Amino acid sequence: MAEVMRADARRNYEQLLAVAREAFAEHGTEASLRDVARRAGVGIGTLYRHFPTREALLEALMSSGFDALRVRAEGLLAAPSPHDALLTWLRELAAGSTTYRGLPESVMAALREEGSELHASCHAMRAAGGRLLARAQESGAVRADLTAAELLALVAGIAWVSEQSAGQAGLIDRLLSVTATGFAADRPPVTTPA
């Protein structure tokens, strides 16, 4: 009987995450938690048992998203074209980054706190993306002077612009395409002013 409860609790947990992801994509991080519970087919008490605060739910969603992006990057390491694999992953990263409009400072603090689970998930995802970048650089498709931190900052900027320009279909793809032209291996190295 206890095993059935654990499986049921896990199903509720996964269902809550899936519905919350949709609700936050539609309404931002201030989406109604009562509505999330209702749409997931559970009571508000069940939601709060799994996620005692809105921040806990957001952290679980972000951690789950980071884990999925890490797994995706690891899978793309075997793709035939390192350049295409990197662009595929960057598109998915940018699209996922637009989901959580209005993150509370408490979640951002957890993301920066080195001992937090959320920080660890983000770090693992970024490291997997770094391996995709290194593979593309080793193949000669991407300039060698580009760092993973710089590339991720570019994608974060693209995601932010896309979020601010709601309704412009294809903007992420267009901006990533222009950016990819800039980080192509046949470009001269970037020098920073002193």
Side-chain angles (χ1 to χ4, degrees):
M1 184 74 171
E3 185 65 35
V4 172
M5 293 296 288
R6 281 190 293 253
D8 191 44
R10 186 69 187 167
R11 183 194 58 76
N12 286 343
Y13 179 88
E14 296 298 332
Q15 182 65 15
L16 283 164
L17 283 179
V19 169
R21 189 174 291 112
E22 291 172 10
F24 290 154
E26 292 170 18
H27 306 290
T29 60
E30 292 303 314
S32 165
L33 295 184
R34 286 195 182 282
D35 186 49
V36 168
R38 182 188 55 73
R39 287 168 56 182
V42 301
I44 191 72
T46 298
L47 183 142
Y48 282 120
R49 257 190 312 283
H50 288 291
F51 309 104
T53 64
R54 177 180 302 274
E55 288 80 8
L57 177 56
L58 285 166
E59 286 181 29
L61 280 170
M62 290 183 69
S63 185
S64 171
F66 291 153
D67 291 345
L69 282 165
R70 175 190 51 78
V71 168
R72 180 70 167 135
E74 290 168 352
L76 286 167
L77 284 170
S81 168
H83 181 266
D84 291 349
L86 179 62
L87 282 180
T88 296
W89 188 78
L90 292 175
R91 261 187 212 97
E92 292 173 17
L93 173 63
S97 297
T98 64
T99 303
Y100 305 106
R101 297 183 310 273
L103 281 176
E105 183 54 35
S106 59
V107 173
M108 296 306 293
L111 192 54
R112 292 186 297 265
E113 183 183 318
E114 289 189 24
S116 76
E117 183 179 323
L118 186 57
H119 178 83
S121 291
C122 181
H123 180 74
M125 180 267 304
R126 291 171 65 101
R131 288 190 294 278
L132 278 176
L133 172 61
R135 183 172 176 252
Q137 288 170 320
E138 289 164 7
S139 77
V142 174
R143 61 192 309 150
D145 66 330
L146 180 65
T147 69
E150 292 166 341
L151 183 58
L152 293 174
L154 285 168
V155 173
I158 288 170
W160 183 84
V161 166
S162 174
E163 185 180 304
Q164 303 309 308
S165 306
Q168 288 190 25
L171 185 60
I172 286 176
D173 284 340
R174 170 79 178 131
L175 293 176
L176 274 174
S177 176
V178 169
T179 302
T181 300
F183 65 65
D186 59 354
R187 298 285 179 190
V190 176
T191 57
T192 55

